[in-house]
């Protein structure tokens, strides 16, 4: 019977929460070996979005200016409340959209997919080329991969991530879907993340990808490759 499941696990380096939106029955090793698996090209994993403290403060400044301009025309408390809500929405939009830098660094999704493919090969499951139209099909998408500051008055930055994974049967039916999401527990000042061509970000992506591979395999019922 399908269930909605929420599973979170913590390790020394990671904070991972995997939310399974459509649980799958366990897929037998025999079924995997008979049909194999085709992994489609990973989507959305070519850049890390860098959200800096300076950009956030500039966005807040824009929001305050907008709010003051809008509030100057308020004639009663109800109008003032509505204006404040609109200004708040505009401020948040400015925070989200204002000048994010995008750095060409692969996220943890490709690492996770590679780990899944390797584990499948180790138990004798054929992994087909991405353009093959056979076997179970798996789609991996990097939904979130950001390097962002901890808060307005702090210098530390953290990595946030969300990897969405869906699987279909050889007949094209939904076989499961899950998301590995969380925040890398190590925080550093931005210059430390940027040092040596973002070496620490690359290390984090590797650790996150490996951790998510085991969780995703478990969530999707890929028997025998969870470990």
């Amino acid at each position: 019977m399908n269930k909605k499941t929420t599973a979170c696990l913590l390790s020394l380096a990671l904070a991972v929460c995997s939310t399974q939106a459509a649980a799958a029955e366990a897929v037998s090793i025999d079924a995997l070996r008979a049909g194999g698996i085709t992994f489609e090209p990973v989507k959305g994993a070519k850049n890390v979005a860098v959200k800096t403290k300076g950009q956030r403060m500039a966005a807040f400044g824009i929001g305050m200016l907008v709010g003051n301009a809008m509030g100057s025309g308020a004639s009663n408390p109800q109008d003032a409340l509505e204006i404040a809500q609109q200004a708040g929405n505009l401020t948040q939009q400015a925070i989200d959209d204002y000048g994010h830098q995008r750095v060409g660094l692969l996220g943890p999704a490709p690492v996770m997919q590679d780990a899944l493919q390797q584990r499948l090969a180790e138990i004798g499951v054929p992994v087909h080329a991405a353009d093959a139209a056979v076997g179970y099909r798996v789609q991996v998408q990097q939904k979130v991969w950001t390097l962002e500051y901890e808060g307005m008055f702090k210098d530390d930055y953290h990595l946030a991530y969300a990897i969405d994974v869906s699987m279909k049967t050889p007949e094209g039916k939904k076989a499961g879907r899950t998301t590995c999401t969380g925040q890398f527990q190590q925080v550093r000042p931005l210059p430390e993340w940027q040092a040596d061509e973002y070496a620490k970000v690359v290390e984090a992506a590797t650790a996150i990808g490996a951790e998510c591979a085991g969780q995703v395999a478990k969530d999707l019922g890929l028997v025998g490759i969870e470990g």
Side-chain angles (χ1 to χ4, degrees):
M1 179 182 296
N2 288 344
K3 298 179 180 179
K4 287 187 177 180
T5 306
T6 301
C8 294
L9 53 92
L10 299 176
S11 66
L12 293 177
L14 298 169
V16 179
C17 178
S18 177
T19 303
Q20 190 170 354
E25 298 293 336
V27 180
S28 72
I29 294 177
D30 289 341
L32 290 172
R33 287 174 177 160
I37 288 188
T38 298
F39 285 84
E40 298 178 11
V42 176
K43 294 182 179 179
K46 294 182 179 180
N47 297 286
V48 58
V50 182
K51 302 181 179 182
T52 69
K53 182 177 180 180
Q55 290 164 347
R56 166 75 74 153
M57 299 202 48
F60 269 120
I62 292 172
M64 290 179 65
L65 290 173
V66 171
N68 289 336
M70 294 174 65
S72 62
S75 59
N76 59 63
Q78 183 61 36
D79 288 343
L81 178 60
E82 291 180 359
I83 288 172
Q85 290 174 339
Q86 293 175 24
N89 292 337
L90 289 171
T91 301
Q92 186 59 51
Q93 182 177 347
I95 290 168
D96 291 338
D97 297 340
Y98 187 88
H100 294 161
Q101 304 171 21
R102 296 199 176 273
V103 180
L105 294 171
L106 288 178
V111 176
M112 188 206 70
Q113 179 160 299
D114 289 345
L116 289 174
Q117 291 176 332
Q118 181 178 347
R119 294 178 187 184
L120 287 163
E122 289 172 353
I123 62 172
V125 175
V127 177
H128 305 298
D131 58 355
V134 294
Y136 289 85
R137 298 193 68 83
V138 176
Q139 174 64 66
V140 176
Q141 183 173 10
Q142 186 79 61
K143 290 281 193 178
V144 176
W145 182 228
T146 60
L147 178 60
E148 53 189 293
Y149 51 87
E150 288 280 277
M152 292 295 293
F153 304 104
K154 297 181 180 180
D155 292 327
D156 285 334
Y157 284 65
H158 67 260
L159 284 163
Y161 58 92
I163 306 172
D164 186 72
V165 186
S166 59
M167 184 171 67
K168 294 182 179 180
T169 68
E171 296 76 29
K173 297 180 180 179
K174 293 180 180 179
R177 185 169 185 170
T178 188
T179 300
C180 185
T181 182
Q183 177 181 313
F184 196 63
Q185 285 188 347
Q186 293 179 5
V187 296
R188 304 173 185 276
L190 185 58
E192 291 187 17
W193 286 116
Q194 294 173 323
D196 299 323
E197 298 183 348
Y198 290 87
K200 294 299 182 182
V201 175
V202 175
E203 290 178 10
T206 301
I208 293 166
E211 191 78 16
C212 283
Q215 187 62 47
V216 166
K218 179 180 178 181
D219 286 351
L220 295 182
L222 300 178
V223 175
I225 71 166
E226 305 97 318

